[in-house]
Amino acid sequence: MPSAYASSSSPPSSPATALSKTDFEALSAFRYQLRKFQRFSEEAAQAEGVTPQQYLLLLHVKGFPGREWASVGELAERLQSQHHSVVALISRCEKLALVERRGSAIDRRKVNIHLLPAGEHCLTKLAALHHAELNTLSATFKVPNINS
């Protein structure tokens, strides 16, 4: 998996200002809220018969901006995963008839991933559950304001 600092910037060597106890509490609360949502998501996906990663793959195919498919490379970026890991994930989703690979009409070297009806059905159900859960969290899920 790529490093959290894989972008052009390097990890911070030392903070410009020390964080306060309140800052640590805010970060802790945020991570707790994030983990609660993630756990909800994991359990919802498993109850629907897919893994959390399979759900995320379906979500990123459907949610890719401007079109109804995504390339393997785009999905790897969205999932923050290695290309070969995403290829294996796609293969598992294909076996479940959730997605299919289609060669690109523009670039024969590329493969585009499309949802199949079973994938659409699974995603629609899970996305509705996630949307409802986010609505219940909207009052408590706050991004901390950390001194920078």
Side-chain angles (χ1 to χ4, degrees):
M1 179 171 276
S3 165
Y5 302 107
S7 66
S8 60
S9 64
S10 59
S13 55
S14 65
T17 59
L19 296 178
S20 69
K21 173 71 170 143
T22 304
D23 292 333
F24 284 104
E25 289 172 5
L27 283 170
S28 174
F30 174 72
R31 290 301 303 222
Y32 172 63
Q33 293 164 348
L34 188 61
R35 181 62 190 122
K36 277 181 63 174
F37 180 76
Q38 186 178 14
R39 183 171 179 191
F40 162 83
S41 180
E42 291 164 354
E43 291 173 355
Q46 290 166 345
E48 196 57 37
V50 296
T51 68
Q53 283 297 98
Q54 289 168 334
Y55 164 66
L56 289 175
L57 179 87
L58 300 176
L59 178 64
H60 291 312
V61 170
K62 182 72 172 183
F64 200 83
R67 56 182 194 257
E68 295 290 318
W69 55 269
S71 72
V72 177
E74 291 165 339
L75 291 169
E77 172 61 25
R78 290 278 172 126
L79 292 166
Q80 289 293 286
S81 196
Q82 297 293 322
H83 186 274
H84 65 276
S85 298
V86 174
V87 169
L89 178 61
I90 291 165
S91 294
R92 291 190 298 275
C93 286
E94 276 186 313
K95 287 179 183 171
L96 297 172
L98 300 172
V99 300
E100 73 177 353
R101 291 175 169 103
R102 295 182 196 161
S104 170
I106 299 168
D107 184 346
R108 295 177 125 191
R109 297 170 296 173
K110 294 194 179 198
V111 174
N112 300 325
I113 309 305
H114 296 260
L115 291 181
L116 292 173
E120 286 273 0
H121 177 74
C122 178
L123 177 60
T124 299
K125 244 177 129 174
L126 285 169
L129 290 172
H130 282 77
H131 189 264
E133 181 69 7
L134 277 176
N135 283 337
T136 67
L137 295 174
S138 64
T140 59
F141 200 87
K142 295 179 176 33
V143 177
N145 183 16
I146 304 297
N147 297 332
S148 49

